[in-house]
């Protein structure tokens, strides 16, 4: 389990993640610095991708591309609107 936080202007939880979830997609999609921080609450197995590997996955797997874009848009809208995070 993990929690995603915006750090500025003050720390605010915007999502809770569970098994199979992911984070960091917005930075990889936009090639900009990360927009949030992640706090791991329980033992987790993490995978790290660089931009090139990430792009290759998206080019070869349409379902993954759709999931990532949908999730990124939803997270951005939730962060901007101030809606409460969804619980996993």
């Amino acid at each position: 389990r993990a929690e995603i936080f915006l750090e500025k202007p003050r720390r605010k939880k915007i999502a809770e993640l569970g098994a199979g979830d992911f984070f960091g997609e917005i930075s990889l999609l936009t090639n900009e610095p990360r927009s949030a921080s992640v706090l791991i609450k329980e033992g987790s197995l993490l995978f790290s991708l660089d931009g090139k590997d990430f792009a290759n996955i998206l080019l070869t797997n349409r379902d993954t591309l759709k999931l990532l874009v949908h999730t990124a848009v939803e997270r951005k809208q939730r962060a901007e609107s101030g809606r409460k995070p969804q619980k996993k």
Side-chain angles (χ1 to χ4, degrees):
R1 203 174 60 103
E3 297 175 343
I4 298 180
F5 292 90
L6 292 179
E7 296 291 345
K8 296 178 182 176
R10 61 180 191 175
R11 190 174 177 136
K12 173 183 165 185
K13 183 167 74 168
I14 58 171
E16 286 190 15
L17 305 179
D21 284 334
F22 53 86
F23 57 89
E25 74 287 349
I26 294 173
S27 181
L28 286 168
L29 288 168
T30 63
N31 202 30
E32 294 178 1
R34 64 183 174 80
S35 58
S37 297
V38 176
L39 176 64
I40 303 299
K41 302 290 279 185
E42 295 178 5
S44 299
L45 177 62
L46 304 176
F47 293 94
S48 176
L49 296 172
D50 63 21
K52 184 178 178 182
D53 290 335
F54 183 71
N56 284 334
I57 289 170
L58 298 183
L59 288 171
T60 58
N61 189 324
R62 271 194 141 152
D63 291 338
T64 299
L65 174 60
K66 287 178 186 176
L67 175 64
L68 282 169
V69 170
H70 179 267
T71 301
V73 168
E74 182 180 87
R75 287 178 179 171
K76 186 164 177 52
Q77 288 174 338
R78 187 179 328 116
E80 290 173 352
S81 72
R83 288 186 316 214
K84 296 208 179 227
Q86 295 176 342
K87 294 194 177 190
K88 290 281 179 176

